Structure formats: structure tokens, C-alpha cells
Amino acid sequence: MPTDSHIVRADVFSAEDVPDNSLRPKLLDDFLGQSEIKKNLKVFIDAAKQRNEPLDHLFLIGPPGLGKTTLAQITANELGADFKVTSAPALDKPKDLAGILSTITPGTVFFIDEIHRLKPAIEEMLYIAMEDFELDWVIGQGAAARTVRIPIPHFTLAGATTKAGMVSKPLQTRFGIVQRLRFYDDNELADIIRRSAGILGTAIDDDAAMLLAGCSRGTPRVTNRLLRRMRDYAQHAGSPVVTSEIVREGLEKLGIDNLGLENYDREILLSIMNNFGGGPVGAETLAISIGESQDTLEDYYEPYLIQCGLIQRTPRGRIVTQKAYEHLGMTPASDSLKGQGSLF
């Protein structure tokens, strides 16, 4: 069965995601889901505007595709401030950071994605910029070298990461506002689907929206990708409306099941079942068995499989659950059941 392995990979940015900018909400009132974060940001932004001050530095934590970049953009819009965006890997040398910060306007929201990947020299320069709104710059070379501090406008740094544990403590403590995004539930995703469908000029049934939401892995980025594909299937079928029948047929053709699992997800489960007797098996061994990197396995595939209750992490390794066997229509070997019982 054919499958597009990128359509449910929220951590992989594809060229098709560029049009999704039209689907991004521009204001907090238009942003669906993450209600507690929205309420908090609303208070902080309103207070900063009343004091005519830049917003405190903002730290956004969460898996890919949940709206960290969108919230940073919304923050700039709500503040009426400029928005500059970059990613940590793009900042190769301190002069790259200095070049950006020396040209910003007062109150700018400066967004750094994947902030856990900042190089130490750039991170140290950022400390002073965040606290003192100055840049340390070395003039000259050798014995004649001297350091000068260059003032920069007060700005708001918005940092985003999928790996909060990899962000150094000195950097974390310099953020005044820390918000952790969660996965979306099906009702929130269905609302996002209906909103996006309206922007795209596509009609979709409520049943179809809920069906699509249930296999979107709790992630709006995946939801919008799937909606675009279902729109294509509906157009091909000559239907003016995306129906639940079209969604079921479309998902089957894409190799995506009702839990949002795609080919690699099922390969992981089947590898543990067939090659390792249901587990336990270590992450490195499992990654080799499916031809995927260990980082991708641990950072992307595993969290969702754990969230769905299909695998469990134990001190001895990964094991599949009874629910995984039932989902794939397989019967566990008696030995694998005994092995699971002995672990808990």
C-alpha cells in the first residue's frame, strides 16, 4: 500500500507547507486550542501594551507542528511590533546574531526556532542582549583588541524548542514567560479543519472533519496537510463536499489508519512483535531494524506511539502493548504476554 511518509511527519517541513501560511491565524482570538496559553498571553500582552514596554522574553516548548511559530507571530501582531524570524542552525557565528540585533526596531519580537541548537558563543552573546540590551563586540586583534558594548533597542526574544531539556539553564532562566504547548484533542482539531476548509473554499461534513481529526496525531500541521489531500480526492471524485466516505478512501490510499499511524509506525510495532517477541528491545537496536535514525525514532515516532498506548518504555527497553496487537489484528505469543507481565 503506498504511503507518503511525510504527510504525518510534523517534524519534517515540506514545500507544501508554505501555502499553509494563509491558514495561520493572525490574532489570539483566531487561534484555536491551547486555551490556557492564550489566556495567559492575552494578560501579558495587554499589560505590556498598557505600560508601553516590550513583552518579557517568551519561551515556547512543545512537539513540532503545534503552533509555536504561529504564536510568536501572533504575539508580534498583538503588540503591533515588527517580527524577525530565524533558526538556531542558521546562526553560525556571533556576527550573524549581531547583524540581526543591530538592525531591529524597538519592541521587535525576535523569534529563534530550535533554540536548543544555539552554539555556545552565540548563546553567551544572547545572554547580555536579553538582560542588558547590549552587544559585546571585539574591536582590533591581538594586544590591541578591546571589547566595546553596543546598545540595542529593547526587544522580545521568542525562543521555541522541541527539546527543553537540551536548553541550558542560564538561557532558560532569562525567559520571563514560559509556555508549554500540548497536543490538541479531536474537537479542537475538527474546529481547525472547519476553519481551514473555509479559508480554502472547501466544504467538509462534520463527520468527515471528526474522522480527519482522529488521525491527525494531535497536530494542526498534519491536519492541514491531510485536509489538502482530502480536498484533492473530493475534486477528483467530482464531489463538492469532503465526505466521511472520501476521507476513509483517501486515508486508505495514503496508507494512514484511523489512529493516524503510517507505514513506519506500523513497521516499528511489527518489528518489536516479529523480531523481538514483543519486546523488550533497546532503541538503538530497534532503529537499526527499521532503517531509521535513533533520534528520529525517539523524538518523533515513539512519543505518539506511547501517547496512543501502543508501546511502553521500560528499564529493559521498549515493549508493545495488548492494544497494539489488537490494532494490527495480531495475536501475541504467550511468551510475549508473560514477558510483559513480569515487567509490571
Side-chain angles (χ1 to χ4, degrees), residues 228-239:
R228 289 180 181 277
R229 297 289 68 76
M230 297 308 112
R231 179 182 62 167
D232 293 342
Y233 284 120
Q235 183 177 337
H236 181 74
S239 173

Side-chain angles (χ1 to χ4, degrees), residues 118-138:
L118 280 177
K119 294 183 177 179
I122 297 174
E123 190 172 307
E124 289 172 8
M125 176 179 279
L126 199 56
Y127 295 160
I128 299 171
M130 292 172 72
E131 285 193 330
D132 301 330
F133 299 102
E134 294 179 331
L135 290 176
D136 266 352
W137 199 248
V138 178

Side-chain angles (χ1 to χ4, degrees), residues 75-285:
T75 298
N77 292 341
E78 293 278 1
L79 289 167
D82 289 339
F83 184 65
K84 283 189 176 288
V85 57
T86 189
S87 65
L91 298 173
D92 186 48
K93 297 178 180 178
K95 68 177 182 180
D96 298 329
L97 178 62
I100 295 173
L101 292 180
S102 61
T103 59
I104 61 174
T105 57
T108 292
V109 175
F110 177 36
F111 178 68
I112 301 181
D113 200 8
E114 299 181 86
I115 199 167
H116 60 275
R117 296 178 62 183
L118 280 177
K119 294 183 177 179
I122 297 174
E123 190 172 307
E124 289 172 8
M125 176 179 279
L126 199 56
Y127 295 160
I128 299 171
M130 292 172 72
E131 285 193 330
D132 301 330
F133 299 102
E134 294 179 331
L135 290 176
D136 266 352
W137 199 248
V138 178
I139 298 177
Q141 294 180 348
R146 58 191 178 93
T147 301
V148 297
R149 283 206 167 185
I150 304 171
I152 58 175
H154 285 217
F155 69 99
T156 297
L157 176 67
T161 182
T162 57
K163 300 179 180 180
M166 292 182 63
V167 178
S168 68
K169 281 295 180 184
L171 181 56
Q172 285 190 39
T173 57
R174 283 170 169 80
F175 286 100
I177 304 171
V178 179
Q179 299 292 315
R180 187 179 294 272
L181 282 73
R182 57 168 178 80
F183 285 108
Y184 292 66
D185 62 36
D186 288 356
N187 289 323
E188 292 171 334
L189 289 173
D191 288 340
I192 291 172
I193 289 168
R194 285 186 279 265
R195 176 185 178 276
S196 297
I199 294 173
L200 294 172
T202 301
I204 184 168
D205 289 344
D206 286 342
D207 289 345
M210 286 301 296
L211 183 60
L212 206 54
C215 58
S216 294
R217 303 175 81 104
T219 307
R221 182 178 295 165
V222 174
T223 290
N224 287 328
R225 287 180 188 168
L226 289 175
L227 175 61
R228 289 180 181 277
R229 297 289 68 76
M230 297 308 112
R231 179 182 62 167
D232 293 342
Y233 284 120
Q235 183 177 337
H236 181 74
S239 173
V241 180
V242 177
T243 63
S244 54
E245 182 180 352
I246 288 174
V247 170
R248 288 190 185 92
E249 292 178 358
L251 293 174
E252 183 178 356
K253 290 175 181 177
L254 291 171
I256 300 169
D257 63 27
N258 63 328
L259 283 182
L261 305 190
E262 49 99 1
N263 187 49
Y264 263 114
D265 296 298
R266 291 187 288 270
E267 278 193 26
I268 292 168
L269 297 176
L270 289 171
S271 180
I272 299 174
M273 292 173 183
N274 297 330
N275 299 335
F276 305 102
V281 57
E284 183 178 359
T285 302

